[in-house]
Amino acid sequence: MDMKLTGKTALVLASSTGLGKAIATELAREGANVMLTSRSMDKLEEAKKDILKTARGKVDYTVADITDAESIQNLVEATRNTFGPISILVNNAGGPPSGTFEDFDDTDWQKAFDLTLFSFIRTIRAVLPDLKETGGHILNNASSSIKQPIDGLTLSNVFRMGISGLSKSLSQELAAHHILVNTIGAGRIETERLVQLDAAKAEKQGKTQQEVTDQIEQSIPLGRYGQPEEFAKTAVFLVSGANTYLTGQNILIDGGLVKSY
């Protein structure tokens, strides 16, 4: 399938590691010019080198703090100046701390909002003039919790649902500009974040991390954790020229874990 990504400009948030890096890798492999970003220059430099090994498109990076409005604006301008008008935006962010409702105060809630939801809103606002010119795609990375809340991730559960609502609203409002907006959600995809969550759960339950992993894998119909590359392939289709009619949808990459429709 021709993804029609050659020469397209893509901005991928939180892309030095994990799912963001995996999506950026697949986009560059398909010929898109990709701007990476995170707060760590060292991690970005390493990610750029890794991605260029298989890239057909160009790859660059800009250090940015996506919880800061000015930093987001500078990031968008740097992307535009480097590669031209942006036609693909992949919103992504690291997850907020794990815990239950009573574990968090006002500061915790505000930080989680700024990271997990408000960063998406601000970046969309900054990129929107380009997308109105080029058409294109917005993909908001959330979590399987948009369909089924995850125990011990109250902050994430709340704001990931907000992402879903944002995507659905925008898919209606921006359709006249030929902008497609979708939400993608990961189940148990084997990333550093997932390893940390499993380790925390193991410590709390007095089990080994492997015991926790084995127990969770038994609840997944496909019987294993997914790999970032598997997640990224679906993400790239959703933002590619091959997707011309799918918008306003929540797509889970979870091996069948979530039982809701």
Side-chain angles (χ1 to χ4, degrees), residues 50-70:
D50 286 345
I51 294 170
L52 282 173
K53 293 174 184 176
T54 59
R56 291 195 298 115
K58 300 174 183 177
V59 181
D60 206 342
Y61 65 81
T62 299
V63 177
D65 178 359
I66 62 172
T67 65
D68 178 76
E70 183 178 357

Side-chain angles (χ1 to χ4, degrees), residues 74-149:
N74 291 340
L75 167 64
V76 171
E77 290 177 3
T79 305
R80 189 181 294 129
N81 292 337
T82 302
F83 295 133
I86 299 165
S87 56
I88 297 166
L89 171 62
V90 179
N91 274 320
N92 180 47
S98 59
T100 60
F101 181 82
E102 292 184 305
D103 293 328
F104 304 116
D105 60 18
D106 284 4
T107 299
D108 297 320
W109 281 97
Q110 187 64 55
K111 286 182 178 179
F113 169 68
D114 289 342
L115 173 67
T116 313
L117 180 55
F118 203 24
S119 63
F120 289 23
I121 294 167
R122 283 169 161 165
T123 309
I124 292 168
R125 186 187 295 139
V127 171
L128 201 51
D130 288 28
L131 294 177
K132 285 183 176 180
E133 175 185 336
T134 63
H137 299 78
I138 298 170
L139 183 63
N140 293 320
N141 187 16
S143 164
S144 63
S145 64
I146 60 177
K147 292 284 189 177
Q148 181 174 295

